[in-house]
Amino acid sequence: MINGAERESRTSAGVRRDRSDNVKLSLVIPVYNEEKKLAGTLRTCCGELEKSFDDYEIIIVNDGSDDRSADIVKELAFPKVRMISYRKNRGKGYAVRRGVLASSGDIIFYTDADLAYGTEVIKPMADMLLECGADIVIGSRKEASGGYGDYPFVRRTASRVYSGLVKRFSGLDYDTQCGIKCFRKDAGRLVFALITTKNYAFDTEAVMLAEKLKLKIEEYPVKIIEHSGSHINLVKDSAVMLRDMMKIKNRMK
């Protein structure tokens, strides 16, 4: 475990500014068969980041897609978008880890290709990270009124049940599975260098590691404003997430 002095040394070496306008932001987006929405996602993200940050990069991690996702990124050829691509589907956790560790920004975000929480929250979350001296800011649907929007009942219930189990087994009361988070560069690299979970439970492992490392975590209220067809199989993937969570808990000991 990193002691307090070591943690302060690491975080003080990071960005310590009042606002995020003049820092470089990295946005990591894991992609698996997203050809229908990817062009719109990239245009929206580039437009938002162009007006909000002096410098930025978008890293698309093509997680073994077998559709035209990779071709679309190449055809658009946006100058501040780059792609990491590999043939075999390895899981969302693996994809996000690859993107975070390859990033060069002072602040590192990750979010999903459907932009479920929009892009307008990126700037205030980045500002909060800097103004509060936090290492991590987690989007939280629980902190926002109507945070789950018109999420289908089954998925809303599954999310809340999983959050309850996370709290019971780990003691964490965060919305760990919310799909948008941001990190200071040093904190993000530290956490994701240690992550081993390749599937959806990687979010839980990231937050548990941050707590173990005594990093400062803040929450920012977000609402689901868009949800499309998910790649999640509620029965199969929930079982895998619970299995992974138990493995994470044992690792933390």
Side-chain angles (χ1 to χ4, degrees), residues 23-129:
V23 301
K24 181 175 182 179
L25 181 136
S26 295
L27 175 61
V28 175
I29 303 177
V31 167
Y32 177 63
N33 290 348
E34 302 287 4
E35 64 179 4
K36 292 181 179 180
K37 67 189 72 165
L38 192 52
T41 291
L42 287 176
R43 292 189 180 99
T44 297
C45 289
C46 287
E48 181 67 31
L49 300 187
E50 193 70 38
K51 71 181 183 182
S52 299
F53 298 92
D54 289 340
D55 194 10
Y56 70 91
E57 64 176 357
I58 298 172
I59 303 175
I60 298 296
V61 185
N62 178 35
D63 186 26
S65 299
D66 54 17
D67 65 357
R68 295 194 68 256
S69 292
D71 294 332
I72 289 169
V73 177
K74 293 175 183 176
E75 289 166 5
L76 290 172
F78 290 132
K80 294 188 177 181
V81 175
R82 57 190 176 101
M83 180 170 60
I84 298 170
S85 190
Y86 42 88
R87 288 190 174 184
K88 183 179 178 180
N89 178 249
R90 305 293 295 273
K92 183 180 177 182
Y94 179 88
V96 172
R97 182 178 187 271
R98 284 285 302 267
V100 169
L101 295 181
S103 65
S104 61
D106 303 299
I107 299 173
I108 307 168
F109 268 82
Y110 66 81
T111 194
D112 296 324
D114 62 358
L115 302 179
Y117 307 96
T119 56
E120 294 82 2
V121 298
I122 292 176
K123 184 67 164 62
M125 285 180 70
D127 287 339
M128 183 180 192
L129 184 83

